[in-house]
Amino acid sequence: MDITFSERTLPEAGTVVVFSMADRDLLPLARELDEASGGAISKAFGATRFEGRTAQIMEVLAPHGTGIERIIVAGLGKASEFEAKSGEKIGGTVCARLLASGAEAATFIAEVPEGNAAEASAFAVALGTGALLRSYRFDKYRTKEPDDKKPSLTAVTIASTEHQSAASEFEDVEKIARGIFFTRDLVSEPPNVIYPASFAKEIEKLAGDGLDVEILGEAEMEKLGMGALLGVGQGSIRESKLAIMRWNGSPNSDEPPVAFVGKGVTFDTGGISIKPAEGMWDMKWDMGGAGIVAGTMKALALRKAKANVVGVVGLVENMPSGAAQRPSDVVTSMSGQTIEVLNTDAEGRLVLADALWYTQDRFKPKAMIDLATLTGAMIVALGWNQFAGFFTDDDDLAAALEAAGKSSGDGVWRFPLSKEYDELIDTPVADVKNIGGRWAGSITAAQFLKRFTNKVPWAHIDVAGMAWGQKDNPLYEKGATGYGVRLLDRLVRENYEVGD
Ligand code: BES
Ligand code: MN
Ligand code: ZN
């Protein structure tokens, strides 16, 4: 989707999006258009229940008196409650409506309610952001889609008095969106296409954006003693990989980095502790954490973030086979700690145990954050597509994550870590076991991970309910959400970047 910004004037033809506050209170150019069209909008009000609630939409086709073919009136809600960032939801909702409508281009007249002039630029940016994010579609394997179902909309113009500042702010948005789309592509691809080596190949391409990339294979990981990660992949014919991405954007090249670590299980059958057939297909997106890390690293490189950032992803396929690990196997992790593997389906924490240890050992990061589709219990606790749950002992890091969650729109909700949970993962057989029983499943998983962080400031974000959208949303079609890229980008921007 092409998004451009222009002067605030009504176009003479095409599809135009204008705004109404609550109670059908049209903004100035919307009123002008209503008058020019002989009251087409006012008449349409009489035929619909449109009131002007935030992101409510009314469509008027072929109004008289102008060359305009289609008017979309979008609601802004009550003027007193207006927030510029509602533009994302509105821009996305309108984009979804127009995407396959036959319209090829649309112009948004980005006006804001009186008294909000300072927010006009932010509103214009938000509209463009929503439209751009919602325009993504993963349809490369649909060869027989009828033409009239295919997207028609390819260009959106945002007309605003603040078009210059909006256009310059939008440059970064576009770069971050490319990161989000990279994440969505990786998450959407089927597991016969994205497996550890092919995922690593995609990451290698990020060198073209300026990242330093290294890929470790099984032989190298064996030398490092990564028995926990390798145990998960040993039942698969696909070779396990560890991918390391580095972005050195800080003017001080010695600055310790912030590190992002991702779970990249390219397919999770459960292994010998096999999952039921129904719903197993969802486990193609069990690499969602790694997808977020890769997309974030791309976004940071594209917008040349002034920070040192490391991304590490553990890439494995969890399969049952004659070579697979067995429930009750004991593996030795890179940290030296032994792990009794009682359930081969609790594999994500095994992958992260070695990826986290490796990351802190090699990079001595000032903070380390892992992202993982780790537990079904997190979806039970927080639901689908509302919040990701996070865990940390560090209150400053918690506050930073909560703030980034609010400003980015990628919400997070804090959960406890506490030594009371340790006894649930103790075992007489080894240093720790990989399951903690029926209760508090997300917390015992986090408590397990903590043992592999070596006291570096660390947070774990369980994105099990966030990587995949269960239904259409203003910012994504049902499918890969790209959740997390904006969260981490914001976190870097607000906490780790050196100001100009
Ligand atoms: N990848 C799953 C968690 C998951 C389930 C993510 C559904 C998204 C949707 C993870 O590897 C897993 O299987 N976890 C088990 C842990 C249990 C065996 C302790 C779970 O949540 O049931
Ligand atoms: Mn599993
Ligand atoms: Zn898994």
Side-chain angles (χ1 to χ4, degrees):
M1 182 73 58
D2 236 12
I3 314 270
T4 49
F5 294 81
S6 75
E7 309 260 2
R8 190 197 59 164
T9 46
L10 278 173
E12 276 157 20
T15 291
V16 183
V17 185
V18 292
F19 293 99
S20 163
M21 292 175 282
D23 301 327
R24 302 174 168 185
D25 186 2
L26 295 174
L27 288 168
L29 282 195
R31 206 170 305 138
E32 209 174 283
L33 183 56
D34 190 32
E35 281 157 20
S37 62
I41 296 175
S42 309
K43 269 185 229 155
F45 279 155
T48 74
R49 292 182 150 181
F50 179 89
E51 287 166 18
R53 285 195 304 274
T54 306
Q56 209 184 0
I57 283 178
M58 181 182 79
E59 192 166 346
V60 183
L61 288 174
H64 260 281
T66 76
I68 286 167
E69 291 146 9
R70 180 194 325 249
I71 302 173
I72 301 268
V73 184
L76 292 184
K78 289 198 183 116
S80 57
E81 290 166 13
F82 175 78
E83 279 186 298
K85 69 175 168 205
S86 67
E88 287 190 7
K89 188 175 169 195
I90 298 166
T93 304
V94 173
C95 176
R97 171 74 161 254
L98 291 176
L99 214 51
S101 66
E104 288 164 15
T107 302
F108 285 73
I109 309 296
E111 298 179 286
V112 294
E114 228 176 298
N116 291 281
E119 293 191 294
S121 174
F123 182 59
V125 172
L127 284 173
T129 306
L132 179 58
L133 292 180
R134 190 58 177 79
S135 70
Y136 174 91
R137 213 166 173 251
F138 187 81
D139 53 10
K140 64 193 273 197
Y141 299 115
R142 300 187 59 162
T143 65
K144 296 198 155 74
E145 188 174 32
D147 281 344
D148 66 353
K149 293 269 168 19
K150 285 187 183 150
S152 54
L153 191 73
T154 58
V156 163
T157 304
I158 317 279
S160 165
T161 54
E162 308 306 312
H163 64 97
Q164 275 164 337
S165 71
S168 91
E169 221 184 293
F170 199 70
E171 285 175 16
D172 273 358
V173 172
E174 247 165 352
K175 291 167 187 164
I176 295 161
R178 284 174 60 194
I180 292 172
F181 295 166
F182 183 51
T183 302
R184 288 181 182 175
D185 284 345
L186 290 166
V187 167
S188 304
E189 285 287 359
N192 58 328
V193 173
I194 285 291
Y195 46 88
S198 62
F199 195 137
K201 276 249 145 48
E202 290 304 314
I203 286 176
E204 276 179 331
K205 292 185 195 159
L206 296 178
D209 296 320
L211 291 174
D212 294 333
V213 178
E214 283 167 69
I215 310 292
L216 308 188
E218 288 181 355
E220 286 144 308
M221 288 192 275
E222 258 157 46
K223 267 194 213 125
L224 289 163
M226 293 189 169
L229 185 153
L230 289 168
V232 176
Q234 83 186 32
S236 169
I237 57 163
R238 313 281 198 188
E239 186 183 356
S240 300
K241 303 278 183 186
L242 190 82
I244 300 125
M245 297 154 265
R246 304 182 70 175
W247 170 250
N248 296 314
S250 170
N252 171 8
S253 56
D254 299 335
E255 181 84 20
V258 54
F260 300 132
V261 179
K263 167 179 172 182
V265 177
T266 60
F267 195 76
D268 179 14
T269 63
I272 296 299
S273 313
I274 199 162
K275 288 180 181 295
E278 183 65 26
M280 197 197 274
W281 46 79
D282 276 333
M283 289 299 105
K284 79 165 182 181
W285 47 265
D286 207 20
M287 36 54 70
I292 294 170
V293 172
T296 301
M297 295 306 292
K298 183 178 179 80
L300 293 172
L302 288 175
R303 73 167 183 81
K304 305 210 181 322
K306 293 192 179 66
N308 290 343
V309 186
V310 175
V312 176
V313 296
L315 303 170
V316 303
E317 185 180 57
N318 188 20
M319 297 291 274
S321 80
Q325 69 180 345
R326 295 141 291 253
S328 77
D329 275 6
V330 175
V331 296
T332 303
S333 66
M334 183 184 174
S335 72
Q337 296 173 87
T338 55
I339 305 167
E340 186 184 19
V341 179
L342 288 178
N343 188 320
T344 63
D345 196 12
E347 85 297 341
R349 65 198 75 183
L350 299 170
V351 173
L352 287 173
D354 281 336
L356 284 165
W357 190 267
Y358 175 85
T359 302
Q360 62 77 31
D361 182 56
R362 176 166 172 198
F363 297 108
K364 312 282 183 266
K366 56 175 131 183
M368 179 162 78
I369 296 168
D370 78 73
L371 298 106
T373 49
L374 203 63
T375 63
M378 187 49 81
I379 308 173
V380 175
L382 283 179
W384 279 111
N385 311 135
Q386 277 88 18
F387 289 93
F390 79 95
F391 304 75
T392 183
D393 281 330
D394 188 309
D395 290 344
D396 293 335
L397 190 51
L401 273 170
E402 272 163 357
K406 289 220 168 81
S407 53
S408 68
D410 284 351
V412 292
W413 205 281
R414 191 174 182 179
F415 276 66
L417 279 171
S418 192
K419 61 176 172 10
E420 282 80 357
Y421 294 100
D422 272 327
E423 64 181 77
L424 299 176
I425 49 172
D426 285 341
T427 164
V429 173
D431 297 333
V432 64
K433 60 181 175 181
N434 79 329
I435 48 171
R438 181 163 154 69
W439 311 114
S442 304
I443 304 175
T444 51
Q447 200 73 25
F448 176 98
L449 295 179
K450 183 181 156 166
R451 298 191 186 195
F452 300 87
T453 59
N454 208 10
K455 303 200 171 81
V456 168
W458 156 78
H460 156 60
I461 311 181
D462 193 333
V463 295
M466 303 307 288
W468 191 261
Q470 295 301 113
K471 54 181 177 37
D472 288 355
N473 174 284
L475 299 183
Y476 53 80
E477 199 172 50
K478 175 180 175 185
T481 63
Y483 171 93
V485 173
R486 293 210 284 171
L487 174 72
L488 298 184
D489 174 74
R490 270 276 154 193
L491 185 80
V492 169
R493 196 183 283 252
E494 291 169 6
N495 300 276
Y496 303 108
E497 282 197 62
V498 184
D500 313 69

